[in-house]
Amino acid sequence: MSKALDLLKETWGFHTFRGQQEAIVNAVADGLNCFVLLPTGGGKSICYQLPALMNEGVCVVISPLIALMQDQVSSLQEKGIKAIALTSKLNRHDTVIAFDNLMHGNYKFLYLSPEKLQAELIQEKIAQLNVNLIAIDEAHCISQWGHDFRPAYLKIPVLNDLFPHATKIALTATATRSVQKDILDNLKLGQCKSFKGSYFRDNLYIKVQKTEDIRNNLLRLLKKNNDPAIVYVGTRKETIEIARHLNANHLNSCSYHGGMNVEEKKNSFAAWKEDRVKIMVATNAFGMGIDKANVRLVIHLYLPNSLENFIQEIGRAGRDNLPSDTVLLYNENSILRSKEMNEASTVTPELTKTIYVKLNDYFQIATGEQPDDIFDFDVQDFAQTYQLPFLKVYYALMHLEQEDVIFYDQQGQRFSRVKVIESSKKLLEIQKENHPKSDLLELLLRSYGGIHDQFININERFLARRLNLNKSAVIKAFRQLDHDKVLIYEESKNNFKLRFLCPREDNFVFQSIRHHIKSRNKVKANKIKAMMRFINNDFVCRQMQLLRYFDEELQKPCGKCDVCLNKKKIGPTNYLEISNDIIALLNSNVSLSLNEIDEELKLDKETLAKTLHILREKGVIALNLQNKFYIKK
């Protein structure tokens, strides 16, 4: 029996490896650089954790999310393996102690973010360790053409300089061919060994359903399901609204989104993971590292902005390989909202230049100057000072950082938050008063759904403008309401840092970055188009569509998705024969409605609608203003 299998049984309690795990573990243990693409639920962590235990030295793991790191560290510690995560919670003194433990305390794993890795102190301390393995998790974040690009990932190769002989392994669950090339090139993996698992999940029943009544369909699906479920929504506000709607219908739910603090996220996740709550309503912030085996249902109430995101999110269902459902519910309003959100987060090169110029003006930087200062930066104040949409500013800053024009660290930033705790009766009494705090309270209750259920991020300057007050008066009113125990008010914590990385030369900067920004915007637009094609294509098996996107072919339809099940339901439908019947009928009439055609041909309504759709797509028939079909001349 192999050393790897012995260790797997002894440490993880598993008697066999899954898929390519054993081959990957042995390759890494033998010192070979590896690229590993295993879809969600494929057991990637064992691929670097186990070989790290087989050899002397420390394994450095680069991971993008604090929650993901902490989950991995807790899991290792439960197995008696010493591991530590360097997070923003640790001050300089704690960090030095952590490295002392790593050097002298037989610790095997050091987890940290790519941003943390850039600090001089961290690099200085890491250089003193005996590092035998470097694992880059969620490696797709290094690609500008991927769906989760993180600029700091491009700077991970600094570890190559510190440890030129250490083995490297890059792992991801989603990467198209171009993203895979980016990973290999940017991480300088050279002649590495590649392992690629299939994206095909035989146990997943993928369904896409267009419906005007999304909420009732949601209730119907969840009432039929007695097992753990995830409901993905598009905004933080919706997590609260949908969870409240489900709870009101006796479906025990909790919510999770990026605006919650660490403790709130931890409590919500624990309640769901321990089955005290069956349904998690979340934004896509509920993602990496979610490893609950018995999730039987994943529902989307929003349109993900890429098939990469979609396949990762549905991949959280059925990790125990038992049959599980994934359902995407949408309507025309969903499509409109998706377009609006994508438009709001897309920034042109020209607007990026404008925001760069304003940024320099904001900090009073002259042409040709490059200050050495690291500035405190309130992005909301900046956006409002220049009357710029917050999201546009945020994504322009991302572009500027990706192009090494600026560096900004937003890990210490927390927006102001409010939660109303007083009863409705008392609130009505306060609202009758003629005082800024009563006007503020009325505006809060009118503007923010779910403010009784959990903390809501607020912007004092925005609220002040709505009330024709100054910001200090609003803050004073909030403090008074907090003192009176009407609500809990947590003021913003602004440790947002910004540094300029090149001299101010507005036109030069614009010329050097515009091509890359255009390219990124084009990639983003293409991903959205691919998602739209997927939901609209109800002729080709869903699994075949997804696999084809990731350069993989499925030999035959899955037989379980909505497309395959519809074909089974109506049998081997001869669409050509039905098309001929419809054309003959319309040729003998000026125009007919759907119901009139149905009365004549006596067909299954769904089959008839699909055939009419095909004929319209081909330009054979059209609809007139009376919603009647006619032959196009």
Side-chain angles (χ1 to χ4, degrees):
M1 194 176 292
S2 71
K3 181 180 176 182
L5 187 56
D6 284 342
L7 202 51
L8 182 75
K9 288 180 180 179
E10 179 187 326
T11 309
W12 278 268
F14 300 143
H15 291 278
T16 57
F17 284 101
R18 279 195 287 169
Q20 302 179 75
Q21 279 182 331
E22 185 170 18
I24 298 167
V25 167
N26 286 329
V28 175
D30 289 341
L32 299 176
N33 291 341
C34 292
F35 168 70
V36 175
L37 195 163
L38 291 180
T40 303
K44 290 185 293 296
S45 57
I46 281 177
C47 294
Y48 65 83
Q49 289 174 350
L50 204 156
L53 296 177
M54 292 169 68
N55 293 318
E56 291 294 320
V58 174
C59 173
V60 174
V61 185
I62 307 298
S63 182
L65 293 178
I66 291 174
L68 183 56
M69 288 189 264
Q70 290 174 331
D71 187 55
Q72 293 282 349
V73 167
S74 297
S75 177
L76 288 166
Q77 289 173 345
E78 286 170 7
K79 296 174 178 65
I81 300 166
K82 291 187 174 183
I84 195 165
L86 295 183
T87 68
S88 52
K89 286 184 177 180
L90 303 183
N91 58 30
R92 185 183 177 90
H93 176 68
D94 293 332
T95 300
V96 171
I97 291 173
F99 275 103
D100 285 343
N101 288 333
L102 284 159
M103 289 179 69
H104 308 296
N106 294 320
Y107 275 73
K108 289 297 296 182
F109 293 92
L110 166 62
Y111 283 78
L112 74 164
S113 70
E115 288 82 7
K116 201 80 173 170
L117 176 62
Q118 305 315 309
E120 288 183 17
L121 172 66
I122 301 298
Q123 290 183 21
E124 177 189 317
K125 291 293 183 181
I126 284 180
Q128 298 170 21
L129 301 177
N130 174 26
V131 173
N132 71 359
L133 178 60
I134 299 165
I136 301 97
D137 204 5
E138 308 296 344
H140 61 271
C141 295
I142 203 168
S143 173
Q144 296 193 37
W145 318 126
H147 60 290
D148 277 327
F149 178 60
R150 290 271 287 267
Y153 263 73
L154 290 169
K155 297 170 184 174
I156 291 174
V158 69
L159 290 171
N160 294 347
D161 301 329
L162 298 175
F163 307 104
H165 303 298
T167 306
K168 294 180 283 294
I169 177 172
L171 310 102
T172 181
T174 49
T176 58
R177 193 172 290 152
S178 59
V179 172
Q180 291 173 39
K181 184 179 184 302
D182 253 7
I183 292 169
L184 298 179
D185 291 346
N186 291 334
L187 289 175
K188 299 178 173 60
L189 288 177
Q191 294 298 313
C192 71
K193 195 159 185 176
S194 292
F195 298 88
K196 298 174 187 177
S198 172
Y199 284 97
F200 180 51
R201 292 281 303 280
D202 184 56
N203 64 316
L204 293 189
Y205 294 59
I206 303 172
K207 299 180 180 70
V208 177
Q209 183 181 343
K210 189 172 185 180
T211 172
E212 292 309 312
D213 197 350
I214 286 177
R215 289 204 176 186
N216 272 337
N217 273 282
L218 173 67
L219 291 177
R220 178 181 57 80
L221 288 165
L222 289 170
K223 284 178 178 177
K224 289 196 309 186
N225 175 70
N226 294 318
D227 296 300
I230 304 172
V231 178
Y232 280 109
V233 296
T235 66
R236 296 172 178 182
K237 183 179 178 182
E238 283 175 312
T239 64
I240 302 161
E241 291 176 349
I242 296 296
R244 187 196 294 163
H245 175 62
L246 296 178
N247 284 316
N249 284 276
H250 313 293
L251 291 163
N252 200 5
S253 312
C254 60
S255 55
Y256 188 108
H257 60 74
M260 296 163 69
N261 65 32
V262 173
E263 196 63 27
E264 289 167 336
K265 288 178 182 176
K266 184 179 176 182
N267 291 340
S268 189
F269 177 64
W272 178 75
K273 190 167 186 179
E274 294 163 11
D275 287 331
R276 287 182 275 123
V277 172
K278 289 290 183 187
I279 303 162
M280 175 65 78
V281 184
T283 61
N284 59 9
F286 189 69
M288 298 174 186
I290 306 306
D291 192 19
K292 187 173 171 67
N294 62 337
V295 176
R296 289 287 158 262
L297 179 61
V298 171
I299 300 173
H300 280 84
L301 301 190
Y302 84 111
L303 299 180
N305 57 17
S306 72
L307 286 171
E308 287 95 335
N309 283 341
F310 179 69
I311 204 168
Q312 276 203 331
E313 286 161 15
I314 66 172
R316 283 162 198 135
R319 291 199 172 187
D320 53 9
N321 292 319
L322 294 177
S324 303
D325 289 305
T326 77
V327 185
L328 190 156
L329 298 172
Y330 79 103
N331 54 30
E332 290 301 325
N333 188 47
S334 308
I335 295 171
L336 180 62
R337 287 181 58 213
S338 176
K339 286 178 180 175
E340 288 172 348
M341 290 177 74
N342 287 315
E343 165 58 28
S345 63
T346 299
V347 187
T348 64
E350 291 73 23
L351 181 55
T352 303
K353 178 189 176 183
T354 298
I355 289 169
Y356 170 71
V357 170
K358 300 292 185 189
L359 198 61
N360 280 277
D361 292 345
Y362 186 72
F363 289 109
Q364 300 181 329
I365 297 167
T367 299
E369 183 186 354
Q370 182 188 345
D372 292 327
D373 309 60
I374 298 176
F375 297 100
D376 289 325
F377 181 46
D378 185 336
V379 66
Q380 288 193 337
D381 180 71
F382 170 77
Q384 288 175 358
T385 298
Y386 295 102
Q387 297 293 289
L388 294 163
F390 173 78
L391 272 180
K392 296 285 188 186
V393 170
Y394 176 79
Y395 285 101
L397 292 173
M398 285 185 64
H399 282 314
L400 291 170
E401 186 179 37
Q402 288 165 23
E403 296 296 327
D404 279 336
V405 175
I406 63 169
F407 167 76
Y408 71 101
D409 175 9
Q410 53 185 324
Q411 290 187 27
Q413 175 126 353
R414 188 197 71 211
F415 298 129
S416 295
R417 311 188 318 151
V418 170
K419 180 180 179 182
V420 174
I421 56 175
E422 187 52 88
S423 66
S424 299
K425 184 179 177 182
K426 178 69 174 174
L427 295 178
L428 286 171
E429 291 174 10
I430 297 170
Q431 285 176 264
K432 290 175 183 175
E433 299 175 13
N434 185 18
H435 188 278
K437 70 178 184 182
S438 60
D439 296 335
L440 175 60
L441 186 59
E442 185 177 346
L443 178 59
L444 281 176
L445 295 171
R446 194 171 64 242
S447 303
Y448 298 100
I451 200 166
H452 291 273
D453 300 316
Q454 61 178 296
F455 281 97
I456 300 292
N457 287 352
I458 53 98
N459 182 328
E460 292 93 341
R461 188 184 292 271
F462 169 76
L463 293 170
R465 188 178 300 154
R466 292 280 298 274
L467 295 169
N468 291 319
L469 297 169
N470 59 44
K471 183 179 175 182
S472 59
V474 167
I475 291 173
K476 182 179 178 182
F478 269 127
R479 288 173 179 168
Q480 186 61 51
L481 288 166
D482 184 280
H483 179 268
D484 295 342
K485 296 189 170 21
V486 175
L487 50 76
I488 301 170
Y489 170 53
E490 295 180 359
E491 289 190 56
S492 64
K493 170 189 170 190
N494 182 25
N495 292 331
F496 191 105
K497 304 293 183 184
L498 184 142
R499 184 176 183 179
F500 292 86
L501 301 179
C502 60
R504 178 178 181 177
E505 298 290 349
D506 299 347
N507 288 328
F508 175 79
V509 167
F510 173 65
Q511 293 299 332
S512 64
I513 69 176
R514 65 174 181 165
H515 174 69
H516 289 161
I517 295 174
K518 278 185 178 179
S519 295
R520 280 195 289 272
N521 286 345
K522 185 177 179 182
V523 169
K524 180 179 176 181
N526 286 340
K527 288 182 184 298
I528 293 163
K529 286 177 184 174
M531 189 71 214
M532 295 307 299
R533 283 195 299 270
F534 174 76
I535 65 167
N536 287 321
N537 186 342
D538 57 357
F539 304 109
V540 179
C541 165
R542 300 290 178 192
Q543 292 267 23
M544 293 181 92
Q545 291 184 60
L546 284 173
L547 267 61
R548 196 169 295 155
Y549 179 80
F550 291 102
D551 309 304
E552 186 180 344
E553 289 295 330
L554 190 61
Q555 296 305 310
K556 61 180 183 179
C558 72
K560 300 170 183 176
C561 67
D562 61 298
V563 175
C564 292
L565 291 176
N566 280 339
K567 286 180 180 177
K568 283 181 184 178
K569 191 191 304 179
I570 62 179
T573 304
N574 189 333
Y575 286 107
L576 180 60
E577 187 179 316
I578 297 171
S579 297
N580 290 335
D581 290 342
I582 292 171
I583 293 167
L585 185 64
L586 291 176
N587 274 328
S588 58
N589 295 273
V590 177
S591 62
L592 293 172
S593 69
L594 174 65
N595 287 334
E596 287 168 339
I597 297 171
D598 183 46
E599 284 174 20
E600 290 290 333
L601 299 180
K602 308 294 183 190
L603 288 167
D604 170 76
K605 260 280 179 59
E606 202 170 310
T607 306
L608 176 59
K610 187 171 288 189
T611 311
L612 289 166
H613 177 74
I614 293 169
L615 290 171
R616 285 188 70 194
E617 289 263 299
K618 291 182 175 180
V620 177
I621 64 172
L623 266 178
N624 61 22
L625 295 174
Q626 288 76 44
N627 262 344
K628 292 192 173 188
F629 295 94
Y630 64 94
I631 300 291
K632 272 181 103 173
K633 304 297 183 186

